[in-house]
């Protein structure tokens, strides 16, 4: 994954959506967890209208306590696929164990390896043995070299389609949930040819700071953003405090369009309906 | 795992070796990785003579880079079992994936969940569904609440036999590999009824500091220590720099005996041969 | 300094340059240390041409080792004042001890309290007893509450003219010199009415990452930036590795103009010559 | 201060009390702040009886907020001197500004440079220009090299009588006030010839964990301990939560005697009364 051996920046294609340093930044939005059919379809249509290209939503949730909500499992994946059919949004969702990779890849366009699993080497191996694109989040405790080492596990196993995602590191500062290491974006740009995006929601932990961090990450050169959006954040089953509501997301995308334009990388529009339909059909037939 | 619901300290028994706050501290020693039959049998006999009660050694190694030595796998487990037969030492070794739990538990007396997997919840679930004792290492950047949350996953799945292991956290200080959070020992003693031990070798990263950290952890109240020992540290395949040689380990145990005595918790002697034989037979017949 | 007691954002005026959330971001540039007359006059004229409004440069340098270059002292202050006369740039320079405050304030338009002195309470008291504006850098390991506590010392002593400066915190990540905590900008915006700027140079530690961090800080809402610029970074007496050269700074300002425009806060132009002359006279007569 | 240039360990003598690696560990005890004559005399007599050799107590308090209790100033110093006359305990107290050094050194046997001032280079210079012994606490944010750099400032200014004091560093773990970096003790033993002691009270932040950390620091090789003791911790003006009461301190010293004995460095007894009287006279006549 080092730029030493691959000087040109890679592009990673996710069924028509392209991540890469000279391309439009990709906005990924959606709730922390898929909670119900109404919730996910509502949020999918609304974020697609606002300018998102991909939908996020957890079906398998790794939680600090065994007594917290753990996700809807396969039912959640089915709902994500239905949302894709209706909106054309591509789907990224987390996979937490090697045995689940095949199941999740049957529904998702992109597999997320979460921060807590960044050094779950068996899982990295398992997603590396497929061709589905991978979103590799940075571990809370991982330095940049270890993160690139984790990406190397995926690539070495045969899958070069890796996008890195900065999501904040753990520091002594507790005002924010984690500290968004915005510097990692230019550092990775120097060291690796892989695309890098940012997740300002998990870093901030509070929705009021998400817009500023989103703008900052984009200005630092991120190839995309993952933003938590929930139709009713106060009643979310997880992470409500850091989720934008639908109006907040819409307003943010307007700001991001201006900045992306000033950076010479205008935001992508939503996919054409025909393209979305084609994708939905293809994906349904897998 | 909270002391609120279980005021008395738990004891965790590992085929005759007992971890618990009023019992003798347990010394676990051995190499980072099982490298060969000669290496593991030699080190096992020598650490048993010096006063260790359990043998550590990795057969499945999680490594930062996919190109580093990854361990001998099942062959390593067989060698550990042979070392147990010869010495009576109980075996603790790491398991890195849910699918491996049955295999590893077929050889080991205690299953280690490593620092990088502390929040691999599927793995915690899998070791929680067995009765084999679990050594749960602290994540490099996990706080004490998250660590207890991970222990709760194991216990909630049905296995109460969990021993916690402090192994250093990641901080800004780079003189040591990690920073041994010796405070976690009394904090855990307050908050949890589970035994807690320490791994000074991974924290220090340099063998010359291992004795001081071993003494410190014991004096802070640790119920045991895990110490890396290698017959020829300069030529170890991994972690040589932090491994004591056999003589260094022997000298350290002498120091630890004095401190443990002063603390009113004299070190346990090695198991009786007959006990060891019995164990070996039992374990061979599994 | 809390917004609870002062809901409106403060503006801090520094002899015609204004810091405040609805005003143009202020670019401060210059070398780490004043090294010679040629160096400081050259860099002052060049950064003024490129769009800086203030000049930075250390005359008293706090250094980790007593054997490193400690600055030119009062001679450095005289050179800064001469640079102001020639360019109209206002001067900010560090003061490291209470006894020096009067001396430094005789030359400078703004007094910098450095990261290592953020909790040097006597120094805070001393700068608080004057009317000269204060640039209060965040300690490398100070949380936001402690930083605001330090600002409170200055304000409580009678001087409300405080500008906060995020300059990176110390974390486990060593790729960068420090980790720019870009989140502190929106957090401070919520909690305090004081202006906040950022110093991307000290955070990055490497010049190639300074532009990305500068853009990020501006996009996050910073009221200004402090950027190290040296005419010959390779031969700088301190911090050369993180200093932009003159061309690099000029290019960066062009990028920042675009982003500031997109954010609705276009960059300020340089002060009029007449204004600069008036200032130089006033300051010379103090 | 490097062992490279001075291979033998230094001893630092403080009017009859000796710090050094082959000498008995020195117990320093006392309240965070001198609050009243009754308080300081009471605590001094009681900690002397229990086995302390030196008395700590702040007269000038650096506090995070300007609205907190800032100490009794010179009146506090007078009370400390009176306590010395009555008990023979040597006095260590903090000095927070260069201008105060002469005043404080007129009363104290040892000058403490606090954690927040570890890189207040003017203060280091000022204490370096006197012959009074210096207790140099580690900055919360300072790595070992920077700490030794600060010690070098004192020694380079002419004063070789420096004792280092580990007091915990700032990490992500918030269960304790700071994280006692017990590893710094053996690391410093390798790198420097200066004595090193530990302050478990500030690290722990809670009195119930102070005994375990005290034992750990001693076992790691500390040349002494600084322990906060208050006759009525619940009503202390500062840091009450981390102060032992008098009985708790007495019990702890009993434990420490056992460990120090096991380490081959039995605790020092209190100074003879005649020695104390001589000291008091000498100090009064300065």
């Amino acid at each position: 994954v080092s730029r030493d051996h691959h000087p040109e920046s890679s592009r990673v294609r996710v069924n028509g959506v392209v991540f890469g340093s000279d391309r439009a930044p990709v906005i990924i939005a959606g709730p922390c967890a898929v909670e119900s059919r109404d919730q996910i379809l509502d949020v999918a249509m609304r974020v697609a209208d606002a300018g998102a290209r991909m939908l996020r939503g957890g079906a398998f949730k790794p939680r600090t306590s065994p007594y917290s909500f753990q996700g809807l499992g396969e039912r959640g994946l089915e709902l994500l696929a239905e949302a894709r059919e209706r909106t054309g949004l591509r789907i990224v969702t987390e996979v937490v164990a090697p045995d689940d990779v095949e199941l999740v890849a049957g529904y998702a366009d992109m597999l997320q390896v979460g921060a807590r699993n960044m050094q779950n080497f068996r899982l990295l191996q398992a997603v590396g043995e497929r061709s589905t694109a991978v979103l590799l989040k940075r571990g809370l405790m991982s330095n940049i070299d270890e993160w690139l080492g984790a990406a190397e596990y995926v690539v070495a196993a045969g899958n070069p389609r890796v996008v890195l995602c900065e999501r904040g590191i753990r520091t002594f500062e507790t005002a924010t949930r984690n500290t968004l290491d915005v510097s990692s974006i230019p550092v990775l740009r120097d060291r690796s040819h892989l695309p890098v995006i940012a997740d300002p929601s998990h870093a901030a932990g509070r929705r009021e700071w998400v817009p500023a961090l989103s703008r900052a990450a984009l200005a630092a050169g991120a190839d995309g953003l993952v933003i938590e959006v929930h139709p009713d954040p106060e009643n979310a089953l997880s992470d409500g405090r850091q989720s934008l509501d639908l109006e907040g997301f819409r307003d943010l995308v307007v700001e991001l369009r201006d900045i992306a334009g000033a950076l010479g990388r205008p935001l992508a529009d939503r996919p054409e309906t025909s393209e979305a339909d084609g994708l939905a059909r293809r994906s349904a037939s897998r």
Side-chain angles (χ1 to χ4, degrees), chain A:
Chain A
V1 301
S2 165
R3 209 174 264 281
D4 295 344
H5 305 106
H6 188 308
E8 277 180 58
S9 294
S10 294
R11 289 185 189 168
V12 173
R13 291 169 195 281
V14 181
N15 293 335
V17 174
V18 186
F19 293 84
S21 67
D22 56 344
R23 301 296 295 257
V26 176
I27 307 297
I28 305 172
C32 176
V34 182
E35 297 173 4
S36 71
R37 185 167 181 274
D38 282 356
Q39 175 236 25
I40 195 69
L41 295 184
D42 182 28
V43 77
M45 284 184 282
R46 302 287 287 276
V47 300
D49 278 346
R53 296 292 312 272
M54 294 185 63
L55 177 67
R56 62 149 289 149
F60 296 93
K61 300 299 305 170
R63 301 300 297 277
T64 301
S65 160
Y67 310 121
S68 301
F69 173 62
Q70 309 273 327
L72 296 183
E74 186 165 5
R75 175 67 185 141
L77 298 175
E78 292 167 358
L79 295 173
L80 288 167
E82 184 177 349
R84 173 175 50 201
E85 284 180 54
R86 295 196 170 216
T87 59
L89 293 170
R90 280 66 171 160
I91 301 298
V92 57
T93 194
E94 182 163 358
V95 56
V96 298
D99 288 352
D100 295 352
V101 170
E102 188 168 352
L103 174 70
V104 179
Y107 292 94
D109 302 292
M110 189 177 210
L111 300 171
Q112 177 180 311
V113 174
R116 290 178 184 77
N117 279 315
M118 195 204 84
Q119 292 195 315
N120 182 338
F121 298 116
R122 289 292 179 86
L123 181 59
L124 296 173
Q125 176 79 19
V127 299
E129 290 169 358
R130 297 192 65 92
S131 61
T132 313
V134 175
L135 185 64
L136 179 63
K137 289 199 150 189
R138 180 182 188 173
L140 277 76
M141 66 186 87
S142 298
N143 63 35
I144 289 172
D145 287 339
E146 291 165 338
W147 191 9
L148 291 175
E152 195 74 38
Y153 266 90
V154 181
V155 174
N159 186 351
R161 301 173 67 208
V162 178
V163 174
L164 303 168
C165 181
E166 164 66 35
R167 49 79 72 222
I169 56 174
R170 187 161 270 181
T171 70
F172 67 85
E173 177 59 73
T174 56
T176 44
R177 178 170 171 177
N178 293 116
T179 297
L180 185 75
D181 181 11
V182 74
S183 313
S184 70
I185 298 170
V187 174
L188 285 168
R189 188 74 71 222
D190 269 10
R191 297 203 181 157
S192 173
H193 56 86
L194 297 177
V196 54
I197 70 173
D199 174 347
S201 304
H202 278 86
R206 294 264 299 273
R207 81 178 62 90
E208 51 270 51
W209 304 325
V210 169
L213 296 189
S214 300
R215 296 190 307 257
L218 208 59
D223 298 315
L225 296 169
V226 190
I227 297 169
E228 287 200 349
V229 181
H230 193 282
D232 180 10
E234 300 305 328
N235 293 305
L237 294 183
S238 56
D239 284 355
R241 214 176 166 208
Q242 72 199 30
S243 295
L244 294 180
D245 61 16
L246 294 159
E247 190 178 357
F249 177 69
R250 182 176 292 275
D251 292 347
L252 173 57
V253 176
V254 172
E255 289 181 17
L256 296 177
R257 281 193 191 285
D258 288 342
I259 292 172
L263 294 164
R265 297 176 68 186
L267 279 197
D269 288 329
R270 56 180 305 206
E272 299 300 314
T273 309
S274 58
E275 181 191 357
D277 287 352
L279 172 72
R281 274 194 300 276
R282 255 180 294 134
S283 122
S285 67
R286 270 190 292 194

